[in-house]
């Protein structure tokens, strides 16, 4: 039989694309080389990391915070096996959920590695080496990404690990050295810090979380230092050596200068991710690539007719919900509709404590673009609910266009920021203004009132400050 669509890869991009295409009446097959569906995100990314971030936060709460509420549980004890079981159960429920959705939507599944022979034919190599050929009218490449390697450093996922190994350590390391102060370094560093590790983060640039609003990342760095993180900013790692007891890491100031050596029990390499296209046969087909990413137009088409691409393998932020939205859009386009992704309204969340969430432009972006803007800021110390929860760290910051009052960016550092950002995303999708937000009734007492207050603050009229 000939499928209308074959999707290679079942991460958030691929599986969502397949489901949406099936909903629209297309006959769809997916090809996945892993044993389970869901890609990086569900198996070794978003879902397991959030499971242990949540669990480790409970531990930290029991250790440091509950006593202030009059709840005495000290000292909490860690059962790491049960902690990891929670993670494994969470992953299993999610990947099984995708298998169920494939069945429900009558999507055929092929387990094996897909290689594109022509724009109408994909070869699937199963683990036992057998081949199956799948004919199709269209192909969507959704093969995602993997961890960027540190040149000269061999990853064994035991001593020198990527996020995959850091999600499954069999004991709490005494000293965890993290290379890269990006999202993975700070999220997984938080997990092991809360469980008792001494965490040092070496970052090449002179700030953490590059790309985030600088004021937010500066405040966040102070909070993490209070939690016990040590940062070596503006330093590069020049060598990682295995020693009898662990690893020895040589670092040098990025601007040049004297090298220093740090000892570690575990080294986490978290210096970014790179698109994964190995073995797909793209070179032979002449599919255009740029810096490792598949080049697509605004309709996710590659330069080879019939071949499309979405998710981490193409340009843009490497985020699950960005991949999902592209999956929906390309499925709709293939079904003759007008799928579209608004890249200006894709939120980004760091699931630490407190969380960081942002959408749209940072102050640095607006300055660089020469756009005049007003800033409205409101601290959680002035929010009643935050005080009741003893979660007063952080603030909401809204950037609004001076001339039109349209909201151009929202940045939140605070508890549940990842949930609070949703109303800002909706507002920005509708081209809303700070005044729209300021005039919207927010339930009391909620953390979301801080978002409204920040909108009022863009016009210098917050009530509680
Ligand atoms: P992937 O999820 O990478 O899926 C690609 C799939 O394709 C894989 O299953 C792979 O096995 C399969 N594949 C590859 N080549 C072939 C082939 N030739 N044949 C068959 N199958 C193939 N993003 C967020 O938005 N929020 C988060 O909280 C978050 N947390 C993360 C935490 C960690 C530790 C990591 C590593 C990433 C995290 N991300 C998060 C990023 C997120 O996981 C990715 O952006 C997302 O998974 C990309 O989706 P995708 O569909 O493009 O690719
Ligand atoms: P990242 O790009 O977020 O951060 C990597 C950091 O490493 C940067 O600060 C960079 O300057 C630094 N760096 C690069 N080379 C270095 C070197 N040689 N020495 C020292 N520092 C170096 O990448 P990360 O943390 O690996 O995450 C990859 C991607 O996965 C993220 O960008 C994001 O797209 C996704 N992700 C998203 C999450 C979320 O949405 N909550 C959670 C985890 C990952």
């Amino acid at each position: 039989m000939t499928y209308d669509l074959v999707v290679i890869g079942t991460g958030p991009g691929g599986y969502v694309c397949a489901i949406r295409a099936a909903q629209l009446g297309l006959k769809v097959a997916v090809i996945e080389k892993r044993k389970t569906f869901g890609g990086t995100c569900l198996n070794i990314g978003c879902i397991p990391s959030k499971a242990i971030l949540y669990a480790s936060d409970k531990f930290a709460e029991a250790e440091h915070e509950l006593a202030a509420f009059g709840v005495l549980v000290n000292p909490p004890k860690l059962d790491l096996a049960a902690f990891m079981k929670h993670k494994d159960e969470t992953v299993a429920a999610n990947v099984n959920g995708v298998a169920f959705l494939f069945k429900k939507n009558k999507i055929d599944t092929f387990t094996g590695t897909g290689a594109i022979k022509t724009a109408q034919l994909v070869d699937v190599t199963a683990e036992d080496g057998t081949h199956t050929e799948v004919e199709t009218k269209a192909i969507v490449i959704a093969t995602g990404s993997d961890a960027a390697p540190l040149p000269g450093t061999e990853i064994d996922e035991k001593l020198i690990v990527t996020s995959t190994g850091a999600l499954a350590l069999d004991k709490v390391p005494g000293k965890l050295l993290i290379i890269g102060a990006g999202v993975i370094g700070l999220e997984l560093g938080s997990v092991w810090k809360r469980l008792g590790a001494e965490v040092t983060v070496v970052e090449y640039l002179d700030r953490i979380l590059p790309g985030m609003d600088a004021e937010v990342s500066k405040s966040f760095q102070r909070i993490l230092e209070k939690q016990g993180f040590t940062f070596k900013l503006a330093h590069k790692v020049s060598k990682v050596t295995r020693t009898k007891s662990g690893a020895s890491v040589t670092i040098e100031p990025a601007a040049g200068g004297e090298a220093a050596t740090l000892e570690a029990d575990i080294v986490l390499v978290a210096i970014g991710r790179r698109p994964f296209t190995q073995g797909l046969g793209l070179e032979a087909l002449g599919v255009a690539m740029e810096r490792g990413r598949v080049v697509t137009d605004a309709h996710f088409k590659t330069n080879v007719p019939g071949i499309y691409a979405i998710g981490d393998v193409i340009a843009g932020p490497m985020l699950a919900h960005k991949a999902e939205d592209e999956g929906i859009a390309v499925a709709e386009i293939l079904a003759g509709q007008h799928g579209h992704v608004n890249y200006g309204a894709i939120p980004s969340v760091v699931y630490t404590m407190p969380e960081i969430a942002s959408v749209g432009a940072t102050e640095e972006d607006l300055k660089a673009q020469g756009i005049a803007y007003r800033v409205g800021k409101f601290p959680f110390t002035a929010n009643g609910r935050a005080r009741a929860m003893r979660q007063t760290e952080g603030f909401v910051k809204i950037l609004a266009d001076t001339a039109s009052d349209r909201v151009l960016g929202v940045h939140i550092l605070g508890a549940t920021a990842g949930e609070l950002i949703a109303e800002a995303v909706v507002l920005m999708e509708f081209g809303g203004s700070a005044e729209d937000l300021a005039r919207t009734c927010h339930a009391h007492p909620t953390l979301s009132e801080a978002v409204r207050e920040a909108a009022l603050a863009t016009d210098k009229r917050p009530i509680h400050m």
Side-chain angles (χ1 to χ4, degrees):
M1 77 171 287
T2 301
Y3 289 97
D4 293 318
L5 170 64
V6 165
V7 182
I8 308 177
T10 64
Y15 88 74
V16 169
C17 173
I19 292 170
R20 183 71 187 120
Q23 283 177 347
L24 291 167
L26 271 58
K27 185 64 199 145
V28 184
V30 293
I31 302 171
E32 173 56 60
K33 64 179 181 166
R34 277 179 181 282
K35 290 196 174 63
T36 52
F37 303 122
T40 304
C41 178
L42 273 59
N43 289 281
I44 49 166
C46 330
I47 295 297
S49 60
K50 267 76 254 181
I52 61 173
L53 273 156
Y54 187 76
S56 61
D57 186 51
K58 293 282 135 199
F59 186 79
E61 220 177 46
E63 190 170 25
H64 305 295
E65 290 161 30
L66 291 185
F69 295 103
V71 181
L72 304 179
V73 293
N74 263 344
K77 271 204 280 188
L78 177 70
D79 176 349
L80 190 59
F83 180 92
M84 290 297 176
K85 185 166 168 265
H86 155 67
K87 176 200 71 177
D88 295 339
E89 284 172 357
T90 309
V91 168
N94 280 276
V95 300
N96 294 340
V98 175
F100 163 79
L101 292 171
F102 283 161
K103 272 206 187 93
K104 181 182 163 205
N105 287 283
K106 302 190 172 39
I107 294 164
D108 290 343
T109 60
F110 294 88
T111 301
T113 302
I116 306 174
K117 296 296 165 194
T118 71
Q120 290 79 39
L121 189 71
V122 185
D123 174 76
V124 185
T125 310
E127 219 178 22
D128 63 5
T130 54
H131 291 266
T132 309
E133 292 201 325
V134 188
E135 283 179 42
T136 180
K137 292 180 191 155
I139 296 169
V140 169
I141 300 168
T143 49
S145 63
D146 66 358
L150 182 67
T153 306
E154 195 197 318
I155 304 283
D156 56 21
E157 297 296 4
K158 291 279 173 222
L159 171 67
I160 303 173
V161 300
T162 66
S163 52
T164 304
L167 287 167
L169 299 180
D170 56 12
K171 66 173 198 268
V172 179
K175 288 184 178 169
L176 173 62
L177 187 131
I178 300 173
I179 308 174
V183 197
I184 291 182
L186 301 185
E187 285 190 354
L188 294 179
S190 291
V191 167
W192 295 106
K193 176 85 208 62
R194 292 165 186 170
L195 300 185
E198 211 178 278
V199 176
T200 303
V201 187
V202 182
E203 165 59 49
Y204 186 73
L205 300 176
D206 60 1
R207 52 166 296 183
I208 68 169
L209 291 174
M212 284 275 176
D213 188 271
E215 185 183 15
V216 170
S217 77
K218 199 165 242 145
S219 302
F220 185 51
Q221 185 185 330
R222 262 184 255 123
I223 291 172
L224 287 179
E225 281 167 345
K226 238 172 51 195
Q227 289 176 12
F229 273 70
T230 302
F231 289 103
K232 297 274 180 207
L233 301 183
H235 274 77
K236 63 177 179 198
V237 170
S238 47
K239 201 162 65 181
V240 181
T241 323
R242 289 176 167 75
T243 60
K244 266 193 198 129
S245 56
S248 166
V249 179
T250 308
I251 64 168
E252 289 171 31
E258 219 167 284
T261 303
L262 304 170
E263 303 301 321
D265 298 304
I266 298 284
V267 177
L268 165 57
V269 178
I271 57 171
R273 292 181 62 81
R274 56 178 187 184
F276 186 83
T277 53
Q278 229 168 291
L280 273 176
L282 302 188
E283 300 78 9
L285 288 159
V287 173
M289 310 272 288
E290 203 176 279
R291 294 165 72 214
R293 300 205 186 203
V294 177
V295 177
T296 57
D297 67 9
H299 296 105
F300 311 101
K301 277 185 193 159
T302 69
N303 59 322
V304 177
I307 304 181
Y308 300 75
I310 56 168
D312 279 10
V313 86
I314 70 167
M318 288 183 164
L319 296 173
H321 42 283
K322 175 261 191 188
E324 289 186 31
D325 279 17
E326 290 177 341
I328 290 172
V330 76
E332 291 177 347
I333 289 167
L334 287 168
Q337 298 188 350
H338 301 282
H340 171 73
V341 177
N342 176 5
Y343 290 97
I346 294 181
S348 167
V349 179
V350 187
Y351 295 85
T352 41
M353 189 48 123
E355 293 183 350
I356 300 177
S358 72
V359 58
T362 62
E363 277 206 71
E364 294 71 40
D365 293 334
L366 296 177
K367 278 181 190 142
Q369 291 164 32
I371 297 172
Y373 61 94
R374 280 179 288 114
V375 184
K377 260 194 331 192
F378 191 82
F380 283 104
T381 42
N383 174 275
R385 184 71 184 279
R387 286 192 201 115
M389 294 163 67
R390 305 183 77 91
Q391 299 286 358
T392 51
E393 279 177 324
F395 54 86
V396 180
K397 171 170 170 177
I398 294 181
L399 307 172
D401 188 283
T402 304
S404 66
D405 195 39
R406 186 176 173 147
V407 171
L408 303 173
V410 178
H411 306 275
I412 307 175
L413 170 65
T416 76
E419 305 293 338
L420 294 175
I421 200 72
E423 71 166 311
V425 181
V426 174
L427 183 84
M428 287 179 67
E429 269 293 347
F430 283 82
S433 63
E435 189 63 22
D436 290 328
L437 192 47
R439 287 184 180 275
T440 302
C441 184
H442 285 64
H444 177 76
T446 61
L447 297 178
S448 71
E449 287 172 286
V451 180
R452 182 194 200 177
E453 291 272 15
L456 286 162
T458 62
D459 191 36
K460 298 191 172 40
R461 50 181 228 267
I463 301 295
H464 294 90
M465 205 170 55

